[in-house]
Amino acid sequence: MKWVSVRALAFIAPVQAGLRFQCSTLTIQRLDPVVQPGSAPSAHLHHIVGGNAFNATMTGDVATRATCTTCEMSEDFSNYWTAALFFKHQNGSYHRVPVIPVNPGNLDGYSGTQGGLTVYYTQHDLIRDTIAQNPVKTFPAGFRMTVGSPTTTGAPHVGLRYQCLSAGGGRGPETPDFPTSPCAGGIFVTNHFPACWDGKNLDSPDHQTHVYNTITSDGFVAAPACPASHPVRMPQVTYETVWDTSKFNSLWTSGTPNPYVWSFEGGFGRGNHADYMFGWKGDALQRAMDKSECFYDGCGSLTKQAMKTASTCTVKDFVGENTDGWLPKLPGM
Ligand SMILES: *[C@@H]1O[C@H](CO)[C@@H](O)[C@H](O)[C@H]1NC(C)=O
Ligand SMILES: *[C@@H]1O[C@H](CO)[C@@H](O)[C@H](O)[C@H]1NC(C)=O
């Protein structure tokens, strides 16, 4: 009887593993080992964080090749990237918009973060309730996926959101497109990835059909069950990036359209997209996600590093082009 009751208790206990951590900027280059493997340069510029095995071509177990990471979790050699953001001056010149760390609020240990983005891996997304969730299976070595597409002009993909930040860092309402007037504290962008996998393919021709998104409403909500075509529940991966537009606000003439463009010349916010290359060492991520009741910390089993140490991890400049200052055109365009 005792054995039965302990098992029953374990079964109904809320499972609530969630990781949230900072990664500094690793590099800003025209490389895309998921969509354009082998191309140096790739078509447009990316802002990239994570492990130093990042390269034009990436196959196999990334964690066995990387020796450092810009992320706080030091066993995480994954790479995370999105397009870079530019300000387009009315005179036709472009200037890259700097990235600043997401306001860490009262969380400790984030000083020393340089640029970068915040990564979430959640089992039950951000709703803290008591519903038991199916366990998640973490990604296999070599797994990769993208969310969103530069060519999207219609309905935005679920989970792509923009928020205007006030000078104090307060977030305005979520929108599917760029803000329509200047944001004193910058532009906050969220990218949510699908969380169901077909269980077989590390990638697919469009980098998306091997995964499936069950979220039909906005952002951080409890996910419905995975469909039979994509039966494996994975952690929900989310990026948050803050683009510091403050120095360009005075150049945005009142009443004129949004002057910000993604690096593929995308003036329409819905074309924002994000790429993920799994690279956790061994079973580190699985161990963390198997914990029940942990959030925003190392889930009891992950090794962390100081962000000032993480920020020293770099990769070489594979492409060798200037992406700073006022530019006559976007890199590669
Ligand atoms: C990048 O990839 C190329 C081709 O696979 C390889 O020769 C090179 O050593 C890699 N560079 C780094 C810094 O990992
Ligand atoms: C556009 O304006 C910027 C900022 O004043 C300036 O640095 C840049 O040279 C200008 N570009 C052109 C083509 O005039």
Side-chain angles (χ1 to χ4, degrees):
M1 273 313 284
K2 187 157 192 273
W3 181 84
V4 170
S5 63
V6 168
R7 290 281 301 212
L9 190 67
F11 184 71
I12 58 161
V15 175
Q16 197 67 51
L19 293 176
R20 167 190 151 143
F21 55 91
Q22 304 276 87
C23 301
S24 290
T25 298
L26 176 72
T27 190
I28 296 170
Q29 293 194 48
R30 268 205 292 145
L31 290 176
D32 191 337
V34 171
V35 176
Q36 292 184 279
S39 296
S42 63
H44 58 258
L45 193 69
H46 290 119
H47 169 242
I48 302 139
V49 310
N52 70 342
F54 188 77
N55 200 336
T57 302
M58 295 177 76
T59 53
D61 190 348
V62 171
T64 61
R65 295 197 304 278
T67 55
C68 66
T69 172
T70 66
C71 296
E72 184 192 18
M73 301 302 172
S74 48
E75 294 152 287
D76 181 15
F77 301 104
S78 306
N79 288 110
Y80 311 89
W81 66 95
T82 73
L85 187 67
F86 283 83
F87 174 78
K88 187 174 185 176
H89 198 287
Q90 284 189 323
N91 69 14
S93 296
Y94 297 85
H95 200 297
R96 192 165 56 74
V97 176
V99 195
I100 53 174
V102 172
N103 182 354
N106 57 8
L107 300 169
D108 293 333
Y110 287 161
S111 72
T113 305
Q114 285 173 20
L117 50 81
T118 295
V119 177
Y120 291 80
Y121 286 86
T122 51
Q123 188 170 34
H124 187 198
D125 241 319
L126 289 184
I127 307 292
R128 278 172 169 272
D129 65 23
T130 53
I131 302 168
Q133 290 293 290
N134 290 328
V136 299
K137 183 178 180 326
T138 56
F139 314 93
F143 179 88
R144 62 212 50 203
M145 62 180 164
T146 67
V147 65
S149 163
T151 57
T152 301
T153 53
H157 59 268
V158 171
L160 166 63
R161 288 292 177 264
Y162 293 79
Q163 282 170 284
C164 202
L165 297 181
S166 67
R171 296 190 211 167
E174 296 189 340
T175 59
D177 283 308
F178 284 118
T180 52
S181 58
C183 304
I187 300 176
F188 187 102
V189 180
T190 306
N191 299 97
H192 280 249
F193 285 81
C196 300
W197 178 45
D198 69 11
K200 299 186 203 86
N201 296 296
L202 298 177
D203 194 4
S204 49
D206 65 358
H207 316 293
Q208 300 188 351
T209 48
H210 61 313
V211 294
Y212 185 91
N213 188 7
T214 54
I215 308 280
T216 52
S217 59
D218 274 348
F220 290 115
V221 294
C226 289
S229 61
H230 296 76
V232 182
R233 169 69 61 192
M234 309 181 296
Q236 167 83 60
V237 177
T238 301
Y239 307 169
E240 290 175 343
T241 313
V242 177
W243 301 93
D244 181 11
T245 53
S246 56
K247 74 168 74 138
F248 305 102
N249 284 342
S250 64
L251 299 174
W252 183 345
T253 310
S254 180
T256 60
N258 159 60
Y260 295 102
V261 294
W262 292 112
S263 53
F264 46 91
E265 195 72 81
F268 199 47
R270 297 166 191 224
N272 187 14
H273 57 284
D275 295 55
Y276 174 75
M277 174 77 70
F278 173 80
W280 283 79
K281 192 172 179 180
D283 67 348
L285 180 61
Q286 187 70 58
R287 274 188 280 118
M289 300 309 297
D290 285 347
K291 293 271 178 184
S292 58
E293 277 312 320
C294 61
F295 207 72
Y296 286 5
D297 62 13
C299 284
S301 65
L302 294 178
T303 311
K304 298 184 196 178
Q305 60 181 341
M307 286 310 294
K308 68 175 191 304
T309 306
S311 298
T312 62
C313 185
T314 57
V315 291
K316 72 173 191 178
D317 181 353
F318 295 92
V319 176
E321 72 184 341
N322 177 38
T323 64
D324 292 324
W326 288 100
L327 306 172
K329 61 187 188 62
L330 290 171
M333 292 293 126

